[in-house]
Amino acid sequence: MEPLVDTTSPLAGASRTESITNQPRAAATGKFSFFAFLVLIISAVKHLVDLCRAAQPRTTLSEREVKHVVVIGAGPGGLMTAIQLKQKNPELDVLMLEKYKAYARNHVLQINPHCFNACQLDGDDTATQLLRQLQSKLQDQHYRIPCNELEEELRAIATAASITIRKGDGEMVMGIAPDHVLIKADSNTTHTCQHVPYDILIGADGAHSKTRKAIIEMKRREANESDNLGNTVMFSDLSQVDEDTEFDGGQHIINHRVRVKYRIQQDTGRMDSSFGNYVRLVYPTTKWLGSIVHEHISQDEDGNHWVTADFFIDQDEYDSLKQGGHDLKNPASLNNQELPATLRRKIETWQAVKHGYCGEVKIPDSEKISPYFIGSFHAEQPCHITTAGKLVFLSGDALTSLAFMRAFNNCLHNSAYAGDQIACLDTCSLEEIVDRIALHARLRYKKELFTAGLKKAAVDFLLWFLNISNKVPWQTNRFTAAEIDQLIDSMNRAIASQGAPDNLAGAAGFSTDDVGLPTAPLIAV
């Protein structure tokens, strides 16, 4: 406290001068005191909240009767979600319901190695050891793996983690109720259906998820206070078409593509096996096709070799195949009438170049041609608490679909986070868990959508460059129409005789290097 000063005293002027000099310092001290007081109030409130939480009796998951977890869909995304949930909550009883006896998809996934950072890999149990072995296998394969192979690996890990997987023949789940799932009964019982109770229900049933539609129907009934509020939402009553209202901001279609898979006699290697081959073969081929091609060669259990090539196609080519009822599960053949002539020419060109310059011999009529689009979406309702107080949330492609092989990577992050949050049910309410899971999934989607936008810009630039390079008059590193016709004719004659490919290196203007691969003249691009 400052001493009182008599203003009539000769010292009063000096004291007043000193007081005026200290005004800025006093103002700064006042601001600091205000913020310090504000921080003190916030800390006190937080401390009171912590005391209230501590006063509440803590319960374990089993004491809260959170015991039964049902996962609809046993693909790689659903399996990874179940594994993460079981590892971080060992007391849970996890049941997976899969309508297909055999996993059909075999496209190649590109796994981000950083995604495994969110997984629990420090345990000594069998499941964790197998998960570490999978990580090592992926590292050896440069984190590329066929989808069906990944599913097989994850299924073995799930079995080791005491996760029950029940597969059916066709549609298994008939509907969802607030506290149970209605499924078809086993063939050895007299009942037509069976009730499977759940405390947590996870919808991992793919991009065309019925669980996602069921959540929206449940919330609609609650909003309207419908009389059938507690009744089962039957999957047969739900729309067979994905509506924009299911997604946050609608669906974002980036590009249209076609996947061409065909069988070959033996593995002769990818066309882009080296930089030299890329310049000599891939560049002039992609110029002719007007599309970047992503190629993968795999071998099935019977020892058969398969080539998978993905092309970019235009809207008309995509619509023509879709109108014929073709997709990834119902591929077209090279002889289908719905296959546009332009697309047939692209496929034959690719196969002919590989035949003429890589020695690849395809098996006749083995082509499987599937249209698909590269797009992104995020579920409008990723989580829900039913009227019975049960937690329902989405995972994998049912929750978020991402372009450029990012969907499974995103699923790894979201499933690990969900597992952590479920473990917090002893201290947090279901509402808090729902808010956290939904917020985390939405923020990750926004981040991935931005990354996909950057990749789309790069792809569009490359396609624009291919289009421009096809029009400049000075280009020489290219195939002519006559050369393509000759390559296709040679391939067809070799297939008919099942003999070795003709050597067209000289006729097509190419020479052969020491390892039998062609060398294109490089004068100008």
Side-chain angles (χ1 to χ4, degrees):
M1 178 182 296
E2 295 182 1
L4 296 177
V5 180
D6 186 1
T7 56
T8 61
S9 170
L11 298 177
S15 177
R16 188 178 300 110
T17 302
E18 181 180 357
S19 176
I20 293 174
T21 305
N22 289 335
Q23 281 180 1
R25 183 183 303 173
T29 304
K31 292 180 180 179
F32 175 77
S33 300
F34 171 75
F35 285 113
F37 177 74
L38 185 62
V39 171
L40 181 63
I41 293 297
I42 294 174
S43 301
V45 172
K46 184 177 182 299
H47 182 65
L48 288 175
V49 172
D50 293 339
L51 287 177
C52 292
R53 286 182 176 178
Q56 296 177 353
R58 297 255 179 128
T59 58
T60 63
L61 292 182
S62 57
E63 290 172 343
R64 287 186 60 140
E65 297 182 354
V66 178
K67 179 68 174 177
H68 301 288
V69 177
V70 177
V71 183
I72 301 178
L79 285 167
M80 201 65 200
T81 303
I83 291 169
Q84 290 297 296
L85 204 62
K86 182 70 173 179
Q87 281 192 314
K88 298 182 178 184
N89 306 274
E91 67 271 29
L92 293 178
D93 180 16
V94 182
L95 169 65
M96 304 193 71
L97 303 174
E98 172 58 49
K99 64 179 180 180
Y100 297 117
K101 289 185 177 180
Y103 190 72
R105 295 191 175 185
N106 51 19
H107 60 280
V108 180
L109 293 174
Q110 179 70 53
I111 308 297
N112 188 331
H114 298 293
C115 292
F116 278 90
N117 295 341
C119 300
Q120 182 173 315
L121 299 172
D122 54 355
D124 294 328
D125 56 288
T126 305
T128 305
Q129 292 176 11
L130 291 175
L131 196 57
R132 287 198 296 264
Q133 292 176 15
L134 174 60
Q135 186 182 27
S136 300
K137 178 180 180 178
L138 289 172
Q139 186 175 4
D140 295 338
Q141 298 178 185
H142 305 289
Y143 290 94
R144 295 175 60 85
I145 185 171
C147 202
N148 54 349
E149 183 179 336
L150 178 63
E151 187 270 344
E152 184 179 346
E153 296 277 355
L154 292 177
R155 182 158 35 89
I157 297 173
T159 303
S162 300
I163 296 173
T164 304
I165 303 175
R166 181 174 172 181
K167 294 191 174 185
D169 186 8
E171 296 292 340
M172 174 184 287
V173 179
M174 302 172 64
I176 298 175
D179 60 353
H180 68 268
V181 177
L182 185 65
I183 67 173
K184 287 184 178 180
D186 294 332
S187 58
N188 56 358
T189 64
T190 58
H191 303 287
T192 58
C193 60
Q194 178 182 354
H195 291 188
V196 179
Y198 67 84
D199 300 307
I200 299 175
L201 176 64
I202 302 173
D205 44 343
H208 308 291
S209 170
K210 289 295 184 67
T211 308
R212 183 176 62 231
K213 302 175 190 295
I215 289 177
I216 295 176
E217 175 62 19
M218 286 181 179
K219 294 185 74 69
R220 186 194 65 80
R221 292 180 181 182
E222 292 175 12
N224 297 334
E225 297 182 354
S226 175
D227 293 336
N228 58 351
L229 189 62
N231 294 345
T232 302
V233 177
M234 300 300 296
F235 281 5
S236 58
D237 297 335
L238 300 174
S239 172
Q240 302 297 319
V241 180
D242 295 331
E243 307 289 345
D244 284 341
T245 53
E246 298 179 31
F247 310 112
D248 182 8
Q251 299 187 67
H252 304 272
I253 298 178
I254 299 176
N255 291 109
H256 296 93
R257 300 187 79 179
V258 66
R259 174 164 296 138
V260 182
K261 184 176 180 180
Y262 58 95
R263 185 180 161 197
I264 56 177
Q265 287 186 357
Q266 60 181 359
D267 184 3
T268 56
R270 287 167 46 183
M271 192 184 291
D272 60 349
S273 56
S274 68
F275 177 76
N277 291 339
Y278 188 90
V279 175
R280 294 190 293 261
L281 294 175
V282 178
Y283 177 65
T285 304
T286 53
K287 282 175 60 177
W288 177 268
L289 299 175
S291 169
I292 306 166
V293 181
H294 180 266
E295 181 187 15
H296 176 72
I297 301 176
S298 60
Q299 185 176 5
D300 60 22
E301 297 178 353
D302 298 327
N304 301 316
H305 296 277
W306 293 85
V307 174
T308 303
D310 291 89
F311 300 77
F312 286 99
I313 57 176
D314 58 34
Q315 181 76 48
D316 293 337
E317 293 171 332
Y318 175 82
D319 290 340
S320 179
L321 286 170
K322 291 296 289 184
Q323 289 171 3
H326 301 295
D327 52 25
L328 290 171
K329 295 181 180 179
N330 182 32
S333 68
L334 201 59
N335 299 321
N336 273 116
Q337 295 181 351
E338 300 87 0
L339 189 67
T342 54
L343 182 55
R344 181 181 290 106
R345 178 73 169 179
K346 292 178 183 178
I347 297 171
E348 290 178 341
T349 298
W350 171 265
Q351 293 175 331
V353 172
K354 290 216 63 181
H355 169 82
Y357 295 102
C358 300
E360 180 180 281
V361 180
K362 71 168 186 174
I363 304 299
D365 302 325
S366 62
E367 290 88 358
K368 299 178 181 179
I369 304 168
S370 306
Y372 65 99
F373 67 85
I374 298 177
S376 302
F377 65 74
H378 182 71
E380 177 68 25
Q381 301 292 342
C383 307
H384 179 60
I385 300 175
T386 70
T387 54
K390 309 300 183 180
L391 174 62
V392 182
F393 67 92
L394 301 174
S395 180
D397 286 342
L399 172 63
T400 305
S401 179
L402 294 168
F404 305 110
M405 302 184 183
R406 296 291 303 170
F408 184 72
N409 297 312
N410 186 67
C411 176
L412 286 175
H413 283 283
N414 285 333
S415 61
Y417 184 82
D420 290 335
Q421 294 307 308
I422 297 301
C424 297
L425 274 173
D426 60 335
T427 58
C428 301
S429 66
L430 276 178
E431 289 77 8
E432 290 178 294
I433 298 298
V434 165
D435 291 341
R436 291 176 186 176
I437 293 177
L439 179 61
H440 179 269
R442 185 168 286 109
L443 291 178
R444 282 210 55 85
Y445 172 66
K446 297 298 183 183
K447 175 186 175 182
E448 294 289 351
L449 195 62
F450 175 76
T451 303
L454 296 178
K455 292 185 177 181
K456 181 184 184 302
V459 169
D460 289 343
F461 174 78
L462 289 174
L463 295 176
W464 171 84
F465 177 79
L466 289 174
N467 184 43
I468 295 299
S469 64
N470 267 325
K471 296 179 179 179
V472 295
W474 58 81
Q475 59 178 319
T476 57
N477 188 15
R478 60 169 295 182
F479 288 116
T480 65
E483 291 169 349
I484 294 298
D485 289 338
Q486 195 171 8
L487 286 168
I488 293 176
D489 181 66
S490 171
M491 176 185 67
N492 291 334
R493 284 189 281 110
I495 291 174
S497 62
Q498 288 296 315
D502 294 346
N503 184 3
L504 295 182
F510 285 77
S511 61
T512 305
D513 58 15
D514 295 337
V515 294
L517 291 173
T519 304
L522 297 177
I523 300 176
V525 176

